[in-house]
Amino acid sequence: MIHVLIERHIAEGMESTYEEAARNTLHAAYQADGFINGETFYDMQHSNHRYVLSRWRSAQDWSRWQHSDARKELMNRLNPILDDQEKITLLEN
């Protein structure tokens, strides 16, 4: 099992748009093979800095989702409201 930490910086004034898009993306991930669960967080000192922490059965399951057409389509909606590219870190314990 692995964890995937995604860091995102939202453009100023786009918080509510981001929340809806992020919910849609996480909801779609629930349908992906190997997805276990996910949570979203925000930096208490920088409200435009958001995190998604998800748990996957394997790195292969995550990679399949990360490169899927479904995620690419969702990210095409999300990317315009980000200040920078999302940063993805794979974690294992």
Side-chain angles (χ1 to χ4, degrees), residues 4-82:
V4 177
L5 178 64
I6 302 173
E7 299 177 55
R8 296 180 179 139
H9 294 269
I10 306 166
E12 199 66 38
M14 300 300 290
E15 293 87 348
S16 61
T17 304
Y18 170 81
E19 291 300 328
E20 181 179 345
R23 262 193 308 277
N24 291 338
T25 303
L26 191 56
H27 179 71
Y30 273 91
Q31 309 306 313
D33 190 38
F35 180 86
I36 297 171
N37 65 13
E39 296 179 86
T40 59
F41 303 90
Y42 68 92
D43 184 327
M44 293 173 59
Q45 295 178 357
H46 306 282
S47 63
N48 287 4
H49 192 182
R50 306 297 173 91
Y51 298 90
V52 177
L53 182 62
S54 58
R55 195 163 33 154
W56 294 81
R57 185 177 51 210
S58 70
Q60 293 79 16
D61 289 325
W62 159 252
S63 181
R64 195 171 23 260
W65 166 247
Q66 181 183 18
H67 297 100
S68 71
D69 289 340
R71 186 172 192 276
K72 287 177 185 176
E73 182 180 322
L74 291 161
M75 291 307 299
N76 284 338
R77 296 183 206 154
L78 195 61
N79 283 330
I81 60 176
L82 300 179

